[in-house]
Amino acid sequence: MHANNMYGLWELASQMTPHPQPKMIPHMWPWSVTESIIEESARAVPVGDERRALQLFNPGLSGRWATTNNLIAALQILLPGEVAKAHRHTPTAIRFIIEGKGAYTAVNGERIYMAPGDLILTPSWAWHDHGNETQNRVVWMDGLDIPLIASLDAMFFQFYSAPQVPASCPPNTSGKVYGHAHIMPTWVKEKPQSSPLLLYSWDEAWKALDSLRDQEGSAYDGVLLEYRHPQTGGPVLPTMACMIQLLRKGEHTKAHRHTGSAVYHVVQGAGSTVIDGQRFNWQKGDVLAIPPWALHEHANASSSADAVLFSIQDLPVLQALGVYHEEAFTEDDGRQPVTATFKAS
């Protein structure tokens, strides 16, 4: 049987687990550690054909190019005067700006200028390059669905014939066309799978969060908002949802779990997340990975300051396949007992 590449179901039944058992583990990359590595990489590594981007590998995934089973996050640095060469690839990408203002990402020849807290999209197979014409370094978090695309054997990559793609339209044209909530131009008939709006500004995101601080919000996530495709109302990318959430002063959510993984970036404030009984104390700049089906809850212990978390999640994939499930933790008033505290190595 085995000699003919056949196996009995009775040999494989143990792989049909009663619930998800991911190999990835909860992990955090503290800004206090990553910032010094960012500074050293900026001194030591030139921008060549590849980006100067620090990939965040999950310790539970045995060296895979992955932060979660479906997503990879990275911290990318661009120094004054630098240009990251134009290329394109089938994985979709997002940039969440951490530090610096005035640099740009050009997507298919449209420049999108950056400011801290902005979300910038790079749809699948779109030509893109990055440039920094300012006097200060720029740092952002990349998020891509590389592990998912690799598992599907759908990976394509190509360099452009020149360092940059020629301008095809004035800067931030997509914002002028698609950036008006609930009001769409009638002459635009195409509805691409990825959002045609390439820039979701921090000013708009914060305005929305702040306007909803008096609402009850989610018992499990506080004031949680999803960036949406302006034409369809769906996720901004077909394989990746982008979220922004406000944890108000003293707010402590209840625990729940769901299929699908997530990577969080702390935009502002300080607090903690408990994942399967392990407490992760976070502050501004930290990056945190949460596995599928892991119980998790968030807390902002401050009585004087808000906390804001940005996250990328593979939720659209699970929903499209009909395998998204969510479950609340019903013991101990919905909050987990803490059995350990994460310490960075």
Side-chain angles (χ1 to χ4, degrees):
M1 183 174 68
H2 291 174
N4 286 280
N5 300 305
M6 300 167 66
Y7 287 81
L9 179 59
W10 57 90
E11 299 178 277
L12 307 174
S14 62
Q15 297 184 30
M16 299 284 283
T17 58
H19 57 76
Q21 296 179 3
K23 291 183 174 62
M24 72 162 287
I25 63 173
H27 192 74
M28 188 168 74
W29 293 263
W31 183 252
S32 59
V33 173
T34 57
E35 185 177 26
S36 63
I37 300 173
I38 286 171
E39 291 175 354
E40 185 173 355
S41 71
R43 293 192 301 268
V45 181
V47 172
D49 287 344
E50 295 298 337
R51 275 66 165 128
R52 188 195 293 109
L54 302 165
Q55 309 295 304
L56 306 181
F57 279 32
N58 190 284
L61 293 177
S62 303
R64 278 183 61 203
W65 187 10
T67 310
T68 80
N69 48 312
N70 287 329
L71 303 171
I72 180 75
L75 299 172
Q76 187 166 167
I77 309 99
L78 205 61
L79 297 178
E82 289 185 332
V83 171
K85 187 177 179 181
H87 66 205
R88 63 180 178 178
H89 39 67
T90 43
T92 57
I94 64 95
R95 330 285 172 191
F96 189 84
I97 314 308
I98 298 172
E99 174 188 308
K101 183 178 182 180
Y104 64 85
T105 285
V107 180
N108 286 333
E110 178 187 342
R111 285 192 178 187
I112 312 296
Y113 284 92
M114 302 174 176
D118 286 353
L119 169 65
I120 298 175
L121 306 183
T122 304
S124 174
W125 209 233
W127 292 113
H128 56 284
D129 55 84
H130 313 297
N132 184 0
E133 298 171 343
T134 76
Q135 299 302 309
N136 301 300
R137 77 174 187 185
V138 178
V139 181
W140 65 81
M141 186 184 88
D142 289 321
L144 298 95
D145 55 1
I146 285 173
L148 174 64
I149 299 304
S151 71
L152 297 172
D153 279 332
M155 187 71 70
F156 290 87
F157 177 93
Q158 183 181 12
F159 279 115
Y160 191 67
S161 57
Q164 294 181 282
V165 178
S168 61
C169 58
N172 203 27
T173 294
S174 66
K176 296 175 183 177
V177 176
Y178 300 103
H180 311 285
H182 311 301
I183 305 175
M184 289 291 109
T186 59
W187 64 89
V188 176
K189 305 302 182 184
E190 300 83 3
K191 292 183 179 180
Q193 286 185 306
S194 297
S195 170
L197 178 62
L198 300 177
L199 171 65
Y200 292 77
S201 74
W202 168 249
D203 289 343
E204 290 297 318
W206 174 248
K207 181 180 178 181
L209 288 173
D210 192 46
S211 69
L212 293 169
R213 67 169 55 252
D214 294 331
Q215 299 297 309
E216 184 177 356
S218 165
Y220 309 104
D221 291 298
V223 179
L224 176 67
L225 306 180
E226 181 178 356
Y227 297 88
R228 290 285 189 169
H229 190 305
Q231 295 170 304
T232 67
V236 292
L237 297 167
T239 56
M240 199 180 336
C242 295
M243 312 279 190
I244 194 84
Q245 72 190 96
L246 171 67
L247 297 172
R248 294 158 286 198
K249 305 166 188 175
E251 187 166 16
H252 188 160
T253 71
K254 293 183 178 181
H256 72 155
R257 58 186 173 192
H258 47 71
T259 51
S261 58
V263 181
Y264 286 81
H265 165 70
V266 183
V267 182
Q268 67 182 49
S272 63
T273 296
V274 180
I275 307 173
D276 282 340
Q278 185 178 19
R279 187 191 305 279
F280 292 77
N281 295 312
W282 42 256
Q283 58 187 346
K284 182 178 179 179
D286 293 353
V287 178
L288 177 67
I290 299 182
W293 210 240
L295 281 172
H296 58 282
E297 63 194 82
H298 309 291
N300 176 5
S302 173
S303 60
S304 59
D306 295 321
V308 177
L309 304 175
F310 168 81
S311 64
I312 54 174
Q313 305 188 23
D314 50 14
L315 176 65
V317 178
L318 282 295
Q319 290 178 327
L321 296 175
V323 292
Y324 178 79
H325 299 285
E326 186 173 350
E327 181 179 277
F329 182 65
T330 56
E331 302 173 21
D332 298 324
D333 296 325
R335 292 173 182 167
Q336 306 168 71
V338 176
T339 58
T341 300
F342 174 83
K343 293 183 180 180
S345 58

